[in-house]
Amino acid sequence: MAKLFGSSGVRGLANVDLTPELACKVGLAVAAHAKAKLALVAKDTRVSGSMLEDALVSSLLSSGTDVFLAGMIPTPTLAYATKSLGADVGFMLTASHNPPQYNGIKVFRSDSLSYTDEDQDAVEKNVVQGTFRLADWRSLGKTTQMDASQVYLEMAVKAATGLCKPWRVVVDPGCGATFNIAPELLKAVGCKVTSLNAQPDGFFPARKSEPTAESLQDLANVVKALRADVGIAFDGDGDRIAFVDEKGVFVNFDRSLAAYSAYALQGNKGGTVVTNVEASMCVETMVHAQGGKVIRTRVGDIYVSEALKQSGAIFGGEPCGAWVHPKHHYCPDGPLSAVLMLKALEEENKTLSQFISAVPEYVTKRENIVCKNEQKYKIVEKIGDALKIAFPGYLDFSTVDGVRLALKDGWLLVRASGTEPLIRLTAEGESLAVANNITLKTTKLIKNQIEAEIK
Ligand code: MG
C-alpha cells in the first residue's frame, strides 16, 4: 500500500484519497498506538472538515477515547492545547496551505511535538494490520466541547509581555483557521488591528491559502493605503507566517527568518538556531555574527521541531514561514510569531524594513534536471564525490537531505524530487556571478552522471 503519511501527516483530495473511512481507520490506529484515554480534535475552515471530523471522532469514541472538540482553531493552538489540557493525543484536520479540495490529518503527541517518522510508521502498521482497539459498550468515549483558544491566548499574551506600542497591524488570515484567534491576540496585546479576509470560508475565495508575494498583493496594498506599521498573513492552518513591511513590500522569507534568528540569539547571548537544508546562508551570516551556531535538518517542520527538542536550541524555522519557539511549544506557530516579531521590533526600536535590512541579500538559482524515477536517487547518492572534487575548497558536506555542499561564497543542494522524474538543484551565491557559476558547474556534473549511468 502507498505510504499513508507524508512529512506533514495524512494528506489528499477530500472524499477521494482522504475519505471518512480512512479518517476512521487513522483514528482507531492512533488510539491504539497512543493508548489514548483523552484526545483533542480540531479543524481548519475547509468544507470537508466536518465530514472528516465526525468520522474521526466516531472512531475515537469507539476505541474508548474521550474527545475534547475544539472546533475551528489553528494547528499551533491545537498542539499547544493538547499539551496544556493534558490530552494524550491531538488531531488537526487540515491540508495546511494546499488548495481547498484537499484535506489532511496532522497528529500531535502530548508534548505538542507532531508525530515523528517512528510514530507514523507504527500507526501505518496498525492501519494495514487492522490493529484496532474496540471498547465495550459500557466504556465508549464521550465528547465535550472545549474552548482551547483560551489557554493558547493566555500563553501568547504572556509571551508578548513588554509590548507597549499600539502597533498598527493589518492581518490577513486568508479565510483560514486563524480567522478568529489572530485578530483577537493582536488586539489583546494592544495593537490597532485591521482585518482582511477574516471570515471563515473553506473555499478560500479571497486568496490562495499559501502566503506568497503574489497571493498577498491585497494585504500589501492595504498596508500601504492605511500607512500601517506591518502586514501579517498566515497559511490555511496558521502554522506559517508571512510579513509585509511598512512600505507595503512583501518580506523575503529567508531574510525574516535570519533577522529574527539574530534577535533571538542576542537576547540569549548566543546559542543554537535550527533550520532546514533549503534555507539561505544569510541565516548563518546573521547567527554567526551573534556568536551562535546553526543546525540544518531535512525539509519538514517535524525535523526542525525534533532537532530543537534534542539540541535545546532557542529558535528554529523553515523558509516557508514555519517558525518554532521551543520555550512555549514545539509546533510551528504563526500567531505567536506575529506578536514575538512585534516585540522584537519594539525592543530594537526599528520598523520592519529596518529590522530586515541588516540581513544580506544573496542570489538563489533553481534548476530542474530531468532524470528517470528509477535513477534519480542513485544519481544523488553518487554525485557527492564528484561535487567534492569539483569544489575542493568546500566548507561543509552534508547528506541529511539529498547532498548539500557549503562553500566560502555560496552553497548548493541536490535532491531527488519526491513526486516527479527530476533532480532539483538549488544554488546560492554572494553574487549573481557566483550563483551562476555553481549552477552551471553542478548541472553539468549531474548530466554527466546521468549519461554515465545510461551507458
Ligand atoms: Mg500549515
Side-chain angles (χ1 to χ4, degrees):
M1 105 178 232
K3 226 172 142 17
L4 203 56
F5 285 92
S7 58
S8 300
V10 180
R11 183 99 39 109
L13 281 167
N15 225 14
V16 178
D17 308 312
L18 181 48
T19 57
E21 190 189 353
L22 181 57
C24 202
K25 284 181 180 169
V26 170
L28 286 167
V30 170
H33 170 67
K35 299 184 178 64
K37 291 192 179 71
L38 176 64
L40 189 62
V41 175
K43 59 190 170 189
D44 68 12
T45 58
R46 282 163 203 275
V47 177
S48 56
S50 293
M51 172 190 80
L52 295 169
E53 181 185 33
D54 284 354
L56 178 70
V57 170
S58 176
S59 71
L60 293 169
L61 301 180
S62 151
S63 74
T65 309
D66 288 333
V67 177
F68 283 168
L69 295 167
M72 283 184 196
I73 52 170
T75 296
T77 309
L78 173 279
Y80 178 75
T82 299
K83 181 175 89 156
S84 66
L85 297 175
D88 303 301
V89 62
F91 292 90
M92 182 71 196
L93 294 161
T94 180
S96 186
H97 56 283
N98 289 143
Q101 61 271 33
Y102 287 83
N103 214 329
I105 308 174
K106 284 188 189 177
V107 190
F108 291 87
R109 306 194 319 202
S110 55
D111 63 355
S112 75
L113 197 73
S114 86
Y115 261 27
T116 61
D117 287 347
E118 292 76 33
D119 291 317
Q120 297 198 356
D121 288 345
V123 171
E124 192 144 338
K125 205 169 146 198
N126 284 355
V127 171
V128 173
Q129 297 178 347
T131 309
F132 303 144
R133 180 191 70 176
L134 296 189
D136 178 81
W137 69 272
R138 280 161 293 202
S139 47
L140 296 173
K142 293 179 284 297
T143 55
T144 310
Q145 303 286 336
M146 179 59 61
D147 184 359
S149 55
Q150 284 316 311
V151 284
Y152 174 82
L153 283 169
E154 273 169 33
M155 174 276 291
V157 167
K158 205 172 151 204
T161 303
L163 252 188
C164 300
K165 253 183 80 177
W167 290 88
R168 287 165 306 154
V169 179
V170 184
V171 62
D172 178 359
C175 303
T178 56
F179 71 95
N180 203 4
I181 273 187
E184 201 179 330
L185 172 59
L186 289 162
K187 281 176 199 160
V189 299
C191 297
K192 299 262 176 275
V193 182
T194 303
S195 297
L196 208 62
N197 310 320
Q199 72 283 16
D201 190 326
F203 290 98
F204 301 141
R207 64 163 171 89
K208 281 185 181 168
S209 61
E210 179 163 19
T212 60
E214 197 193 352
S215 69
L216 300 185
Q217 201 52 58
D218 284 347
L219 174 65
N221 291 340
V222 174
V223 167
K224 217 169 161 182
L226 295 181
R227 299 187 178 188
D229 297 313
V230 58
I232 292 170
F234 307 99
D235 71 336
D237 65 329
D239 61 356
R240 293 186 182 187
I241 188 164
F243 298 97
V244 167
D245 72 17
E246 76 283 1
K247 296 170 184 164
V249 176
F250 177 82
V251 179
N252 173 280
F253 280 118
D254 289 280
R255 295 181 82 207
S256 57
L257 179 69
Y260 191 83
S261 296
Y263 160 79
L265 288 178
Q266 213 172 25
N268 196 55
K269 297 193 171 63
T272 303
V273 165
V274 179
T275 190
N276 72 28
V277 289
E278 279 188 330
S280 164
M281 64 182 180
C282 67
V283 176
E284 269 92 356
T285 308
M286 297 300 287
V287 166
H288 292 167
Q290 296 299 330
K293 196 181 118 189
V294 177
I295 293 178
R296 285 186 180 258
T297 68
R298 289 175 64 185
V299 176
D301 58 63
I302 176 59
Y303 304 114
V304 171
S305 296
E306 265 188 302
L308 280 167
K309 191 165 186 186
Q310 279 161 12
S311 66
I314 60 158
F315 173 66
E318 294 193 287
C320 59
W323 292 10
V324 188
H325 307 276
K327 190 177 160 196
H328 304 287
H329 63 110
Y330 289 110
C331 177
D333 191 330
L336 177 63
S337 298
V339 293
L340 291 178
M341 177 59 113
L342 293 175
K343 197 176 158 188
L345 297 179
E346 192 160 321
E347 276 177 20
E348 305 239 308
N349 195 23
K350 284 177 179 162
T351 64
L352 182 53
S353 70
Q354 288 167 348
F355 185 75
I356 301 297
S357 69
V359 183
E361 269 182 282
Y362 298 132
V363 183
T364 307
K365 306 275 285 181
R366 289 195 171 81
E367 206 66 53
N368 289 328
I369 299 133
V370 177
C371 179
K372 285 187 182 141
N373 278 327
E374 55 272 26
Q375 278 182 348
K376 62 187 182 187
Y377 293 103
K378 209 165 150 194
I379 299 283
V380 172
E381 210 186 296
K382 283 188 173 175
I383 203 75
D385 289 337
L387 285 169
K388 283 195 232 172
I389 295 165
F391 298 95
Y394 69 90
L395 302 176
D396 186 50
F397 175 78
S398 159
T399 54
V400 69
D401 194 350
V403 174
R404 191 179 190 280
L405 214 62
L407 313 169
K408 205 163 72 31
D409 50 3
W411 57 272
L412 65 94
L413 174 70
V414 181
R415 294 169 79 211
S417 161
T419 49
E420 293 171 83
L422 295 174
I423 290 177
R424 298 191 194 279
L425 164 64
T426 311
E428 187 177 53
E430 280 178 0
S431 64
L432 180 64
V434 174
N436 278 340
N437 180 40
I438 299 172
T439 306
L440 279 174
K441 227 162 134 178
T442 310
T443 306
K444 207 172 153 198
L445 280 176
I446 296 169
K447 285 184 175 166
N448 287 347
Q449 194 81 46
I450 293 172
E451 262 177 44
E453 205 60 38
I454 292 165
K455 283 174 194 162

